[in-house]
Amino acid sequence: MTLRARIQTAVSLVYPARCLNCGGLVESDFGLCGACWRDTSFISGLVCEGCGAPLPGEDDGQMVHCDACLRAPGEWDRGRAALVYTGQGRRLVLALKHGDRTDLVRPTSAWMVRAARVLLSPKPLLVPVPLHWTRLLHRRYNQSALLAQAIAAREECDCCPDALIRVAKTPMLEGYSRSERRALLSDAIRPNPRMASRLKGRRVLLVDDVMTSGSTLSACARACMDAGAKSTNVAVLARVTAS
């Protein structure tokens, strides 16, 4: 056994691996215990081509869309999500977003890579959904930027964390209708003048933690296209679905 292996063994004895969600013992770092894994709604199989929501039926290679995307499609081309925003998945997202659990970036970015594999070839430019500077000051980090940077590192893609800026502080959008959300976000997100040239002619993959109505991601997609992006797709950690 090498010295490094001995050190790792000693560390694991003193600090055994814990479940990311409940803190129970697990076999390896950055994992979920069996119970938490079963209670986390990972998305696989047939999914909506527009937002990544799970759909009933088998994947036969045909592109299908959920009812929400048929009624009001987002202003991007294709979308994927790793989790349904419910149960353990919701708790993990909230821990990353509001609980200073930046350690969750490593495993959750891997889940996003698995879900968005089809959108990562050819290699896109990864662009996170921006936070207003006041919210960033309060939270101290942009969870979407951390996810985008982690995915870029895993897949050796370009990432531009400040490609977009949020010039207006919008309220939390929960409770607003789709048209109200669009009005609130109108001109709130713009290309960063210093970085706009990096968007021109690029295939952009927008990254966010949660997709609800898609209004924020649509505003980001419009901003990217205004800056000359060739196309925009989206990848999110979790998708809110109809119960």
Side-chain angles (χ1 to χ4, degrees):
M1 182 181 291
T2 65
L3 177 61
R4 181 178 181 180
R6 290 175 181 174
I7 293 173
Q8 289 176 333
T9 299
V11 169
S12 66
L13 290 173
V14 178
Y15 302 105
R18 298 282 181 177
C19 173
L20 291 168
N21 188 59
C22 71
L25 294 175
V26 292
E27 292 184 358
S28 60
D29 291 327
F30 305 105
L32 295 171
C33 68
C36 288
W37 183 271
R38 289 191 299 271
D39 291 341
T40 303
S41 298
F42 290 94
I43 296 175
S44 61
L46 184 64
V47 300
C48 171
E49 192 65 21
C51 70
L55 295 174
E58 295 186 5
D59 186 357
D60 59 2
Q62 299 296 315
M63 293 187 178
V64 293
H65 292 80
C66 67
D67 291 343
C69 287
L70 288 173
R71 289 193 302 269
E75 297 183 42
W76 59 85
D77 298 321
R78 306 172 75 184
R80 291 294 186 272
L83 309 171
V84 175
Y85 187 69
T86 186
Q88 302 286 19
R90 180 176 181 273
R91 281 187 279 276
L92 287 167
V93 172
L94 292 177
L96 170 61
K97 190 169 187 172
H98 299 298
D100 286 339
R101 288 290 308 278
T102 55
D103 59 300
L104 293 172
V105 169
R106 178 174 171 179
T108 54
S109 63
W111 302 340
M112 291 176 70
V113 165
R114 182 178 59 187
R117 176 61 62 193
V118 68
L119 307 180
L120 290 166
S121 180
K123 295 184 185 299
L125 173 67
L126 271 67
V127 173
V129 170
L131 289 177
H132 189 262
W133 70 268
T134 56
R135 191 159 290 162
L136 181 60
L137 188 65
H138 174 73
R139 193 175 296 169
R140 295 179 286 110
Y141 60 90
N142 178 355
Q143 71 281 353
S144 300
L146 296 181
L147 290 169
Q149 290 169 315
I151 294 170
R154 285 179 178 276
E155 297 300 299
E156 299 182 342
C157 297
D158 292 336
C159 181
C160 191
D162 51 354
L164 302 176
I165 54 175
R166 195 181 288 250
V167 297
K169 185 179 180 181
T170 53
M172 299 300 290
L173 298 177
E174 186 175 355
Y176 287 93
S177 68
R178 189 180 185 91
S179 60
E180 290 171 333
R181 291 176 186 227
R182 183 183 176 92
L184 286 168
L185 289 163
S186 177
D187 206 34
I189 297 174
R190 301 177 187 172
N192 185 337
R194 296 184 294 106
M195 297 294 173
S197 61
R198 293 193 60 183
L199 293 166
K200 190 171 183 179
R202 296 297 303 272
R203 293 177 63 256
V204 171
L205 181 61
L206 293 165
V207 177
D208 204 5
D209 55 345
V210 180
M211 183 195 305
T212 305
S213 71
S215 298
T216 300
L217 285 160
S218 284
C220 291
R222 289 195 299 272
C224 289
M225 300 306 287
D226 288 346
K230 183 178 181 179
S231 64
T232 55
N233 295 316
V234 303
V236 297
L237 175 55
R239 174 70 166 108
V240 176
T241 59
S243 55

